[in-house]
Amino acid sequence: MTMARDEYIFLIILAVNLIVSVLYLAAGIVLMVPARASLADGNDEEILYDNRRTYVIRFIEMILCPVIVPLFFFMGHLFYLFVFWRDANLVDVVFSKDRVKTNLKADEEAERNIIPLEEALLVNEKKDLRSVFVNVMREDIRNSLASITLALDSEDSETSHYAAAVLSDELNKFRIFVQKQLTQVREKKDSDTEGEEILVDYMDSILKQHVFSDHEQRKYVNEMAEAAELLYEKDASRITLERYEAVCLRTLEMKDYGVAETWCRRMEEQYPDELSAYTCRLKLYFARQDREAFFQTLDALKKSDVVIDRETLELIRIFSTRRQ
């Protein structure tokens, strides 16, 4: 008796599942697909909708897996209605090409045949030299100006001509940008520091390559220090460790020891537990031949908990030996 009742319930479930499946198929093919198709035809925007084949496939799935599949489709539709019931607001979303990074697959065959520009200049093979120079031109040449400067003395007149044209154009861009940006930051009286930050970073990226004459290099280093000073007066916390180190090293290269010492002291105050705060002072005292200050800083570095890189460790080893 129990078996018969279970079979009867089972058959009822199958019948109900069949009726629901047929109704779903009929509603989809007869009503939903034509309605969505007419809506898509009357609208300029693309509208995605399920076609008749989709409903047939779902009908077969509902027949083969009764109850479970219909419930799955039903719950999925409810989830869609309650979660995605309205379009996303994209008003505040800005699509800018400048923020997009495209990762391209490496051209291994081409990379095998690429040599540094300096090596191509030494070999002085015109074909290789021109090929390398073209590859350098395709990249961001801002960080390759020092190498391009070497190409000015190349025996290949075409390469030297291209190098002179590229270098002249890039340095002129630098001069115009620095003059314009520095004028703006001098005139601005608000607390915004973006202009000063951009100016210091950009100037350092060019000046550290030493592509200007001594007179012009000194001029722009002084202007870079001025921009950093304006930034320090507005908000010293915006001067990162890298910016401190950049100003220290550029002024130190010009043997402007007073300015370099000021920035080394500021860096020590703001970043006392960073390696650069020690190495910049060591370079300053070594250049100024201040033996006492040099070894005091060296001893302080050895006693500190600062993580020391290989270069600084070798420096400590050499001068500790000489001191003895």
Side-chain angles (χ1 to χ4, degrees):
M1 185 69 179
T2 305
M3 289 290 295
R5 188 176 63 180
D6 292 342
E7 292 176 359
Y8 180 71
I9 294 174
F10 179 72
L11 291 175
I12 291 176
I13 293 174
L14 289 181
V16 173
N17 182 81
L18 179 61
I19 294 172
V20 172
S21 303
V22 171
L23 291 176
Y24 179 81
L25 177 64
I29 294 177
V30 177
L31 298 177
M32 298 300 296
V33 173
R36 293 295 181 88
S38 61
L39 184 62
D41 293 338
N43 198 329
D44 294 335
E45 297 180 0
E46 182 181 4
I47 297 177
L48 300 178
Y49 60 91
D50 298 326
N51 55 27
R52 290 183 175 85
R53 183 173 60 182
T54 303
Y55 283 98
V56 173
I57 294 174
R58 290 177 181 173
F59 171 75
I60 297 173
E61 292 173 349
M62 293 168 71
I63 295 298
L64 295 177
C65 299
V67 181
I68 302 298
V69 172
L71 282 177
F72 174 78
F73 289 151
F74 178 71
M75 296 302 295
H77 186 65
L78 287 180
F79 183 80
Y80 171 79
L81 290 178
F82 286 103
V83 178
F84 302 105
W85 61 279
R86 64 178 179 179
D87 294 334
N89 185 8
L90 299 179
V91 175
D92 296 330
V93 179
V94 178
F95 296 97
S96 172
K97 291 183 179 179
D98 297 336
R99 303 180 186 179
V100 176
K101 285 188 177 181
T102 304
N103 297 319
L104 300 178
K105 184 180 179 180
D107 188 349
E108 297 181 4
E109 187 63 30
E111 292 290 340
R112 292 191 190 100
N113 298 323
I114 292 178
I115 59 174
L117 183 57
E118 294 85 345
E119 294 183 14
L121 288 168
L122 290 174
V123 176
N124 205 23
E125 286 288 341
K126 292 183 178 180
K127 181 180 178 181
D128 293 338
L129 183 57
R130 293 176 184 178
S131 176
V132 171
F133 197 83
V134 169
N135 288 328
V136 170
M137 291 285 293
R138 291 174 179 171
E139 304 296 331
D140 184 5
I141 62 174
R142 185 183 303 174
N143 297 321
S144 304
L145 297 180
S147 299
I148 294 175
T149 304
L150 298 176
L152 294 174
D153 298 328
S154 172
E155 295 180 4
D156 182 16
S157 59
E158 186 173 344
T159 300
S160 60
H161 172 74
Y162 285 152
V166 170
L167 191 62
S168 175
D169 182 62
E170 196 65 28
L171 295 186
N172 284 334
K173 289 180 182 178
F174 175 86
R175 295 183 182 101
I176 294 171
F177 177 81
V178 169
Q179 182 179 5
K180 179 181 177 181
Q181 192 75 9
L182 191 59
T183 302
Q184 290 178 354
V185 299
R186 284 170 177 168
E187 294 175 351
K188 277 199 315 183
K189 302 301 181 182
D190 55 18
S191 59
D192 182 32
T193 61
E194 183 179 5
E196 288 84 352
E197 293 176 47
I198 292 174
L199 190 57
V200 171
D201 293 341
Y202 175 67
M203 293 185 74
D204 179 62
S205 67
I206 303 298
L207 293 176
K208 67 183 180 181
Q209 300 182 66
H210 304 286
V211 292
F212 290 102
S213 62
D214 293 341
H215 174 73
E216 208 168 8
Q217 180 82 4
R218 179 175 295 277
K219 170 191 171 184
Y220 287 122
V221 167
N222 291 336
E223 291 180 350
M224 176 183 169
E226 180 186 351
E229 187 68 34
L230 292 173
L231 178 58
Y232 184 84
E233 292 173 358
K234 286 185 177 181
D235 187 359
S237 64
R238 300 298 300 172
I239 306 183
T240 61
L241 184 66
E242 291 76 15
R243 288 173 183 147
Y244 269 120
E245 187 175 13
V247 178
C248 290
L249 294 181
R250 299 294 82 77
T251 53
L252 186 57
E253 290 167 355
M254 295 294 101
K255 297 183 180 180
D256 196 347
Y257 299 139
V259 177
E261 185 173 18
T262 299
W263 285 101
C264 285
R265 176 176 49 80
R266 291 173 176 175
M267 179 165 56
E268 180 187 5
E269 293 173 355
Q270 191 165 339
Y271 300 99
D273 298 325
E274 295 291 341
L275 179 61
S276 298
Y278 289 94
T279 55
C280 284
R281 280 182 289 154
L282 288 173
K283 292 175 182 178
L284 170 64
Y285 298 143
F286 182 82
R288 205 169 58 182
Q289 297 183 355
D290 190 342
R291 179 183 176 87
E292 182 179 355
F294 179 87
F295 283 109
Q296 284 180 354
T297 306
L298 196 65
D299 291 338
L301 176 59
K302 289 192 289 185
K303 294 176 182 178
S304 69
D305 296 328
V306 176
V307 179
I308 303 175
D309 58 19
R310 183 177 299 179
E311 181 182 356
T312 308
L313 190 63
E314 185 67 17
L315 181 72
I316 293 175
R317 187 187 65 81
I318 292 173
F319 282 98
S320 295
T321 303
R322 290 184 180 181
R323 190 180 185 182
Q324 295 173 357

